[in-house]
Amino acid sequence: MNKNIDDIEFVIFDTETTGLDPSSGDRIVEIAALRFKGQEKLLEFQSLVNPGRPVSEAAFAVNKISPEMLKSAPSPENVIPKFLDFIQGSCVCSYNAGFDLEFLNNELKILNKPALKDVLIIDALKMAKRVMPGLERYALWFVSDTLGIKIRQQHRAFSDVELTLAVFEKLKGMLKAKGITDFNKYLGLFGIDPVLLANINNQKIAQIQEALNLRAQIKIEYISASSAQVTRREVVPKEIKRENGKDYLTGYCCLKRQERSFRVDNILHIELVNENDRN
């Protein structure tokens, strides 16, 4: 069942930390989030967090969060459970989501709580790379500047949330212009959960295999990795192969009139061609 992206409640969140490596003891010192649906902002969340350890000089040079600011801040035991309640029932989004999730899961581990699971997660950085391939760099400030967004990155959690939301909205508009508005397509293109992505890919492979078994043509909607152009094609499947950790459909492309390979994770939609639909 198709779900329009504007009908989904999202939470964009961001963290500031004592350093870059939670495995070396670095912790979250600030977390902020904004819950929204379509164009409507629903709720805000923001809090400093006192992890009981100082911010490194390198981190302070970026976020300017001082020991004095953290002295009276609530503990992780107080803040993290409230944040988990805040994101309940939403799709979570962050810019470079893997970084923030690693720190969040580290805090949960310290609190003797299980890692975040059964939560849908989209990475706005992955979104930028897919929708705007070939940029010189993909730092949040650079992408926002390229998109003409006039918000300055301040490297504080809530201001970065607002900047990420502005980038998300711009990219969402670019995707809408390409005809991509289905939430499930967003998950397939920009999700980071390896189990979910494997399941989505396997469903596509099963459809392709069915066409191979029936010796049937398929219609595909495909987004190019190099240009982000979306095309709709009829393909006569030949085989499914795996190269460098990626699955590919090889077949005769009726649009290009030659054999082509298509990365399965870039296929947005597949359907069998009905015999009656053929010329």
Side-chain angles (χ1 to χ4, degrees):
M1 182 178 177
N2 292 345
K3 304 177 194 174
N4 190 287
I5 192 70
D6 286 332
D7 294 330
I8 303 298
E9 286 197 15
F10 275 86
V11 169
I12 287 181
F13 85 105
D14 185 69
T15 62
E16 297 298 331
T17 62
T18 63
L20 298 176
D21 186 6
S23 67
S24 298
D26 285 318
R27 304 284 300 275
I28 291 174
V29 291
E30 187 176 41
I31 188 165
L34 197 156
R35 190 170 182 127
F36 66 97
K37 181 178 179 181
Q39 299 296 318
E40 182 184 5
K41 295 179 181 179
L42 302 173
L43 295 166
E44 296 178 2
F45 181 99
Q46 56 180 319
S47 179
L48 289 168
V49 186
N50 186 349
R53 67 163 290 161
V55 177
S56 69
E57 289 185 14
F60 176 76
V62 175
N63 59 40
K64 299 295 190 290
I65 295 175
S66 67
E68 291 73 29
M69 294 168 65
L70 297 177
K71 195 173 293 183
S72 59
S75 67
E77 292 87 346
N78 180 275
V79 177
I80 301 302
K82 290 179 180 177
F83 175 76
L84 295 183
D85 288 341
F86 184 85
I87 68 173
Q88 192 71 30
S90 72
C91 177
V92 174
C93 178
S94 178
Y95 200 88
N96 192 11
F99 176 87
D100 293 304
L101 287 170
E102 187 179 11
F103 271 93
L104 182 57
N105 282 328
N106 182 62
E107 295 295 339
L108 290 170
K109 182 179 179 181
I110 292 169
L111 295 174
N112 292 316
K113 294 181 180 292
L116 206 63
K117 62 179 182 178
D118 300 327
V119 176
L120 299 175
I121 301 165
I122 281 176
D123 187 352
L125 171 59
K126 189 174 180 180
M127 199 173 170
K129 288 181 175 179
R130 286 251 186 171
V131 180
M132 305 168 68
L135 284 189
E136 178 185 343
R137 59 180 70 177
Y138 285 94
L140 178 58
W141 70 267
F142 188 84
V143 171
S144 64
D145 190 57
T146 302
L147 290 169
I149 296 168
K150 302 302 182 185
I151 302 173
R152 183 183 175 189
Q153 186 175 13
Q154 298 176 25
H155 297 288
R156 289 294 302 274
F158 194 76
S159 66
D160 281 2
V161 163
E162 291 182 307
L163 187 56
T164 301
L165 176 59
V167 167
F168 180 90
E169 290 295 336
K170 287 276 192 179
L171 295 175
K172 185 176 75 171
M174 294 166 72
L175 287 162
K176 185 177 181 180
K178 298 175 185 293
I180 301 174
T181 58
D182 179 35
F183 176 58
N184 289 322
K185 292 179 181 177
Y186 272 67
L187 288 175
L189 288 171
F190 316 124
I192 63 170
D193 181 344
V195 175
L196 175 64
L197 294 178
N199 287 340
I200 291 172
N201 253 29
N202 288 339
Q203 289 172 19
K204 296 175 189 175
I205 289 171
Q207 289 177 284
I208 296 167
Q209 189 59 57
E210 181 185 5
L212 284 166
N213 294 341
L214 295 172
R215 298 186 178 181
Q217 289 187 26
I218 56 175
K219 292 179 180 178
I220 67 170
E221 183 181 11
Y222 188 77
I223 183 167
S224 166
S226 59
S227 68
Q229 181 183 7
V230 175
T231 55
R232 290 155 186 86
R233 309 166 183 238
E234 285 194 16
V235 178
V236 182
K238 178 183 176 184
E239 65 175 340
I240 302 164
K241 60 183 181 181
R242 189 166 181 84
E243 291 181 0
N244 300 319
K246 298 291 183 183
D247 296 303
Y248 291 85
L249 158 66
T250 298
Y252 179 80
C253 175
C254 298
L255 178 66
K256 297 297 184 181
R257 298 183 179 180
Q258 58 183 280
E259 189 170 292
R260 287 291 180 95
S261 288
F262 304 93
R263 251 177 61 176
V264 173
D265 60 344
N266 284 340
I267 298 175
L268 303 171
H269 180 73
I270 303 174
E271 62 180 276
L272 288 174
V273 175
N274 191 303
E275 287 288 340
N276 296 328
D277 292 338
R278 295 185 184 177
N279 296 328

